[in-house]
Amino acid sequence: MTICGLILAGGQGRRMGGADKALLMLAGRPLLAHGIARLSGQVEQLALSANGDAARFARYGLPVLPDPPDLLGQGPLAGILAGLDWAAGQGARALVTVSVDTPFVPFDLVDRLDAATRGGPAMAAYGERLHPTAALWPTAQRAALAKDLAAGERRLRAALSGAVVVAFEDVIEDPFININTIEDLARAEALCAPKIP
């Protein structure tokens, strides 16, 4: 059974003036293109979690999964539930998620998360910081997640309670840094700049 991937792009970009973060440019490419480049080679199939007009992502050729109608605007867990339903329909045993505003996720993220877990969930960490948007979710977890959401749970960490934490300590920079502000985007641009010896 396969592992599918989901890029979470349902955020409202409030700290970026309401910008669609998936389409913000970094090193000459939209953030979404960076996410696709990082994750597509690690999974069998890839989809995008986003609300609104799906046509704005048509050129990427990905399935665009909106939140379930009764959970619209309830945060990333709603998108993850839609992703788990989609992945299960593809025959996948698990779904790996990343946020569209984390353009430097490791190229071995899926292998390392999958190797660390024994059928349960796993999430990435760097140093003391957990990164619950970079996580592996078994498709068998769908019913439990739907129940949590129906009960009003919206926190990723709560949904990942008991998950295996996989530390990515073998790199100098945190590969899960996310872009929430214009300043963050400028720092990410500097990380992408060619290094002059």
Side-chain angles (χ1 to χ4, degrees):
M1 295 175 71
T2 62
I3 297 177
C4 288
L6 183 69
I7 298 175
L8 301 167
Q12 297 179 3
R14 289 186 185 98
R15 286 182 279 176
M16 298 288 274
D20 191 338
K21 286 204 282 187
L23 301 178
L24 286 176
M25 300 300 285
L26 172 65
R29 292 188 300 163
L31 284 180
L32 178 56
H34 288 273
I36 292 169
R38 292 279 174 160
L39 196 57
S40 62
Q42 302 186 53
V43 294
E44 294 297 322
Q45 296 186 64
L46 184 62
L48 178 64
S49 169
N51 297 306
D53 184 8
R56 69 193 193 275
F57 304 118
R59 66 176 165 151
Y60 297 102
L62 297 177
V64 180
L65 312 177
D67 292 348
D70 58 327
L71 295 171
L72 195 62
Q74 297 299 307
L77 280 182
I80 290 167
L81 179 60
L84 285 168
D85 287 339
W86 166 79
Q90 312 306 309
R93 64 180 169 85
L95 177 74
V96 169
T97 59
V98 299
S99 177
V100 76
D101 64 2
T102 55
F104 305 118
V105 295
F107 287 106
D108 61 351
L109 174 69
V110 175
D111 283 345
R112 289 173 69 172
L113 291 177
D114 190 38
T117 185
R118 295 179 180 168
M123 77 172 118
Y126 183 84
E128 297 296 315
R129 187 170 178 197
L130 297 174
H131 292 281
T133 56
L136 181 145
W137 304 78
T139 52
Q141 194 174 348
R142 287 184 301 151
L145 182 56
K147 184 178 178 182
D148 287 347
L149 280 161
E153 184 57 73
R154 300 293 179 262
R155 297 168 300 154
L156 282 169
R157 290 188 190 187
L160 288 165
S161 176
V164 174
V165 175
V166 181
F168 287 77
E169 303 293 350
D170 52 333
V171 288
I172 297 171
E173 296 279 349
D174 183 348
F176 306 103
I177 57 172
N178 59 326
I179 296 171
N180 286 317
T181 64
I182 295 297
E183 292 75 20
D184 293 339
L185 186 60
R187 282 192 290 273
E189 195 76 47
L191 289 173
C192 291
K195 304 298 184 281
I196 300 172

